[in-house]
């Protein structure tokens, strides 16, 4: 029997075949490992004098596997062994993860002991069949009035939250998690500052919201491979909850830092930089990541939703923060994300400076499913308020300097008269959650009163 047949027989009998390579060199963030036949995505143990460190195969060149350590390069040496640990990248999943904080490898980092989830899923599953995706026809209330009234969210929708630093992004995310009607939340903190993670979890998020959430963390000082693995692992955890029939709110902060990590990986394996230094794989990986959210039809044997509507599976409503440098919305990642997502919320620095929180610029923000999930009165009132806000923006400078002549424009007069009420509707205290029915009723009432006032002013001018 030849050596290949012997290895095959041992594998059939359940005996583990150990694949071992040798570290040949260290280049930048990666180690070149000779004679290690391992597919991309495999986990490898790089042995050191003090034990070993985990690494991930991110590419290969000739007979060398290119391995990026997941926890630093200290202790690596030429001639050291590299032992293949896992060929199919997976992540442990299960309802046992709710209320826990884990890292990119699924290990608990909240000091509450190890987690023992029941199953596992591939880190990068096959794309969802387009014909399995449900049409988005159900609303997901978020508890944030500016979102529920002006940019309503559907179950299975994907929204980008575009923001520069210091405009209340983290506070808005916590409000969305605390106030949403989702069955479970998965929060991926990718590339965050280490100081901000605990602050976000304990102070901004709170114990009640954490109890129905899974938080996956990979801070900015961790390796690019760990950050990418954490983002994909969080998606897999959300998918497992979705397949149980749950409506999941998936939040990633931020998709931009995921793209930065993928850029570092691409450059490490020799990809040529393209737009502003981003490698081609960044845009491919970003599209695959964002497409993992959505609403799907229940597969055979899948758990039906709690509402009892037969044939419906769960959903993942995705919200991804996009960091815009200098508030530049044409930045490559922002531009690519806007083309993929089903809508976007723009956080305005000017509104934040005025103390208008959440600082959502409803004129620039868009939800592409608004017409499918809102009734006619809601849509009509929304349109009136948007028109008045736009008109006020046109005359705001004249009003500030006292050059606007009252009575010269009926729509501008109405906008000025109702501005305070409109801003009261769109602002909200940090710990406040607003029920959807109450928010909708307030908006419809305001919109109908403003519409009646505008009609009266126009009639008065015509007379």
């Amino acid at each position: 029997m030849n050596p290949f047949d012997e290895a095959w027989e041992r594998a059939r009998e359940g005996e583990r075949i150990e694949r071992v390579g040798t570290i040949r060199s260290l280049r930048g963030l990666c180690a070149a490992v000779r004679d290690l036949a391992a597919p991309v995505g495999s986990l490898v143990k790089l042995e050191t004098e003090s034990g070993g460190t985990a690494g991930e195969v991110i590419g290969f060149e000739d007979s060398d596997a290119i391995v990026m350590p997941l926890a630093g390069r200290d202790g690596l040496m030429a001639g050291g062994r590299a032992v293949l640990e896992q060929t199919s990248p997976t992540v442990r999943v299960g309802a046992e993860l709710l209320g826990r904080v884990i890292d990119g490898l699924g290990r608990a980092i909240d000091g509450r002991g190890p987690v023992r989830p029941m199953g596992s899923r591939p880190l990068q599953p096959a794309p969802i069949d387009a014909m399995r995706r449900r049409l988005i026809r159900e609303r997901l209330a978020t508890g944030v009035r500016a979102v529920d009234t002006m940019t309503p969210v559907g179950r299975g929708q994907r929204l980008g939250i575009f923001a520069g630093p210091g405009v209340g992004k983290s506070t808005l995310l916590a409000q969305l998690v605390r106030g949403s009607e989702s069955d479970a939340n998965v929060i991926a903190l990718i590339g965050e500052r280490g100081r901000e993670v605990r602050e976000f979890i304990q102070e901004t998020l709170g114990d009640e919201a954490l109890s129905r959430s899974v938080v996956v963390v990979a801070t900015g000082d961790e390796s690019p491979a760990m950050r990418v693995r954490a983002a994909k692992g969080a998606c897999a955890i959300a998918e497992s909850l979705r397949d149980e029939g749950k409506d999941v709110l998936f939040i990633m902060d931020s998709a931009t830092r995921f793209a930065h990590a993928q850029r570092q990986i691409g450059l490490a394996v020799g990809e040529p930089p393209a737009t502003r230094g981003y490698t081609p794989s960044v845009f491919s990986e970003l599209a695959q990541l964002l497409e993992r959210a959505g609403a799907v039809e229940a597969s055979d044997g899948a758990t039906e939703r709690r509402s009892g509507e037969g044939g419906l599976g769960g959903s993942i409503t995705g919200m991804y923060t996009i960091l815009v440098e200098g508030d530049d919305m044409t930045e490559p990642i922002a531009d690519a994300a806007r083309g993929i997502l089903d809508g976007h919320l723009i956080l305005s620095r000017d509104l934040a400076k005025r103390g208008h929180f959440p600082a959502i610029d409803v004129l620039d923000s868009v939800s592409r499913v608004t017409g499918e999930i809102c009734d006619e009165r809601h849509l009509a009132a929304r349109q009136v308020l948007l028109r008045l806000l736009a008109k006020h923006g046109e005359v705001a400078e004249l009003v500030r300097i006292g050059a606007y002549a009252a009575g010269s424009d009926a729509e501008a007069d109405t906008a000025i008269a109702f501005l305070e009420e409109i801003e009261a509707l769109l602002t909200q205290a940090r710990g406040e959650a607003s029920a959807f029915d109450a928010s909708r009723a307030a908006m419809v009432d305001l919109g109908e009163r403003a519409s009646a006032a505008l009609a009266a002013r126009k009639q008065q001018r015509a007379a």
Side-chain angles (χ1 to χ4, degrees), residues 74 104 127 177 206 244 251 282 285 342 362 368 416 436:
D74 292 348
V177 172
E244 293 175 5
I251 287 179
V282 170
E285 290 286 341
D342 305 318
V362 295
R368 294 178 181 167
I416 294 168
F436 177 83

Side-chain angles (χ1 to χ4, degrees), residues 46-103:
L46 302 171
E47 295 185 349
T48 64
E49 288 186 355
S50 59
T53 184
E56 181 177 333
V57 177
I58 61 171
F60 51 85
E61 183 178 0
D62 297 329
S63 62
D64 290 347
I66 302 173
V67 179
M68 179 173 283
L70 297 180
R73 302 168 296 167
D74 292 348
L76 297 181
M77 56 188 176
R81 295 201 328 155
V83 182
L84 181 63
E85 295 287 328
Q86 184 187 58
T87 56
S88 300
T90 60
V91 62
R92 304 290 289 177
V93 298
E96 297 83 1
L97 290 172
L98 291 172
R100 303 304 302 270
V101 184
I102 61 176
D103 67 6

Side-chain angles (χ1 to χ4, degrees), residues 274-340:
T275 310
R276 295 198 192 178
Y278 288 102
T279 57
S281 66
V282 170
F283 301 99
S284 172
E285 290 286 341
L286 182 65
Q288 291 180 42
L289 185 83
L290 299 182
E291 285 286 350
R292 292 176 70 170
V296 298
E297 300 287 351
S299 57
D300 292 341
T303 306
E304 293 182 358
R305 289 184 45 205
R306 294 183 305 174
S307 62
E309 299 175 26
L312 294 182
S315 67
I316 301 175
T317 303
M319 295 192 176
Y320 308 85
T321 63
I322 316 293
L323 305 177
V324 287
E325 300 174 6
D327 297 336
D328 177 13
M329 296 299 173
T330 63
E331 190 270 338
I333 299 304
D335 195 43
R338 288 177 80 167
I340 300 168

Side-chain angles (χ1 to χ4, degrees), residues 64-298:
D64 290 347
I66 302 173
V67 179
M68 179 173 283
L70 297 180
R73 302 168 296 167
D74 292 348
L76 297 181
M77 56 188 176
R81 295 201 328 155
V83 182
L84 181 63
E85 295 287 328
Q86 184 187 58
T87 56
S88 300
T90 60
V91 62
R92 304 290 289 177
V93 298
E96 297 83 1
L97 290 172
L98 291 172
R100 303 304 302 270
V101 184
I102 61 176
D103 67 6
L105 292 173
R107 302 172 300 192
I109 57 173
D110 52 10
R112 295 170 48 199
V115 289
R116 297 180 174 84
M118 300 301 293
S120 64
R121 289 182 71 98
L123 212 59
Q124 184 77 55
I128 301 172
D129 186 341
M131 296 306 293
R132 263 198 76 205
R133 292 185 181 270
R134 290 205 321 270
L135 297 177
I136 298 174
R137 296 291 183 267
E138 299 175 86
R139 184 190 66 250
L140 179 71
T142 66
V144 178
R145 282 193 298 270
V147 176
D148 288 340
T149 58
M150 295 301 199
T151 51
V153 179
R155 295 176 190 266
Q157 187 177 359
R158 300 160 306 154
L159 275 172
I161 301 175
F162 293 75
V167 293
K169 169 176 56 66
S170 296
T171 302
L172 174 59
L173 293 179
Q175 284 181 297
L176 293 168
V177 172
R178 289 196 301 265
S180 76
E181 293 179 338
S182 58
D183 299 323
N185 309 303
V186 177
I187 305 168
L189 302 179
I190 307 301
E192 282 291 303
R193 303 174 186 88
R195 174 190 64 80
E196 293 180 342
V197 170
R198 189 165 186 174
E199 179 181 321
F200 175 81
I201 292 171
Q202 294 186 350
E203 297 182 11
T204 309
L205 189 62
D207 292 339
E208 193 279 329
L210 178 61
S211 66
R212 58 190 184 96
S213 304
V214 183
V215 183
V216 185
V217 176
T219 54
D221 57 352
E222 297 188 59
S223 80
M226 183 67 100
R227 280 175 268 155
V228 169
R229 178 174 282 265
K232 293 181 177 180
C235 289
I237 293 169
E239 288 162 347
S240 72
L241 295 170
R242 176 203 64 198
D243 289 349
E244 293 175 5
K246 291 182 169 62
D247 287 317
V248 181
L249 177 62
F250 178 78
I251 287 179
M252 179 175 290
D253 186 16
S254 71
T256 304
R257 293 192 177 114
F258 166 83
H260 291 171
Q262 185 60 45
R263 175 174 61 185
Q264 289 178 277
I265 293 174
L267 293 173
V269 296
E271 272 192 271
T275 310
R276 295 198 192 178
Y278 288 102
T279 57
S281 66
V282 170
F283 301 99
S284 172
E285 290 286 341
L286 182 65
Q288 291 180 42
L289 185 83
L290 299 182
E291 285 286 350
R292 292 176 70 170
V296 298
E297 300 287 351

